[in-house]
Amino acid sequence: MFFLVYVSSAVKPFLQSELLDLLAKSRENNARLGITGMLLYKDGNFMQALEGEEGAVQALYARIGRDPRHRGLLTLLQGPLEERQFPDWSMGFRDLNAADVLSTPGYSEFVNTPLMGKEFSSDQTRCQKLLLTFKRNMQ
């Protein structure tokens, strides 16, 4: 098992309908490829965790890198994984701009940190903690 966490910026902010379309297609493709993960979106920025067989994850990441809707792709974490952290999700999703984020148990102003911010690049495990916080509270 292999995992990869990256951040990227949208060329233009996504409308809610565009996010839902992206999510539906991602879930379908990821289920077919045996990839699970979590996607966070805030203010035009994405953070995504992908997990699965290394070849499948790397191929998907390369395809994401060629997607003209993204720019500034930056890998934060990657490596072997003993077991999936998101085993039941072909793609969990959270729009951090949504009003109900404030009511998430354990909410912290940390979620207002720009996903591309120096806080994530200086302590890359923070991105994993952020993803797992939303996983715990979405179940």
Side-chain angles (χ1 to χ4, degrees), residues 63-77:
R63 195 170 95 217
I64 291 167
R66 293 187 301 272
D67 187 326
R69 298 173 293 181
H70 293 268
R71 66 172 184 233
L73 203 67
L74 176 66
T75 305
L76 296 178
L77 297 167

Side-chain angles (χ1 to χ4, degrees), residues 20-139:
L20 294 174
D21 184 52
L22 173 70
L23 184 59
K25 288 178 183 170
S26 295
R27 285 179 171 158
E28 181 180 312
N29 291 336
N30 290 356
R32 184 175 38 81
L33 297 169
I35 292 176
T36 54
M38 176 73 172
L39 177 65
L40 300 179
Y41 176 81
K42 180 159 179 76
D43 297 333
N45 295 306
F46 292 95
M47 178 183 289
Q48 185 169 25
L50 302 169
E51 55 191 19
E53 294 302 317
E54 183 171 1
V57 170
Q58 293 287 10
L60 177 58
Y61 186 54
R63 195 170 95 217
I64 291 167
R66 293 187 301 272
D67 187 326
R69 298 173 293 181
H70 293 268
R71 66 172 184 233
L73 203 67
L74 176 66
T75 305
L76 296 178
L77 297 167
Q78 65 179 329
L81 189 63
E82 286 189 32
E83 63 182 54
R84 292 179 189 263
Q85 295 181 29
F86 306 98
D88 301 323
W89 295 352
S90 58
M91 185 50 55
F93 173 75
R94 185 64 165 193
D95 180 350
L96 298 181
N97 291 317
D100 67 340
V101 167
L102 298 174
S103 65
T104 300
Y107 172 82
S108 164
E109 282 297 318
F110 175 67
V111 300
N112 290 321
T113 301
L115 296 179
M116 300 291 286
K118 65 180 183 300
E119 291 81 358
F120 289 114
S121 57
S122 64
D123 180 5
Q124 296 173 349
T125 60
R126 291 185 84 177
C127 66
Q128 199 164 25
K129 290 174 187 171
L130 177 63
L131 292 161
L132 291 173
T133 294
F134 282 98
K135 175 192 173 196
R136 281 190 301 277
N137 291 296
M138 289 174 64
Q139 294 179 355

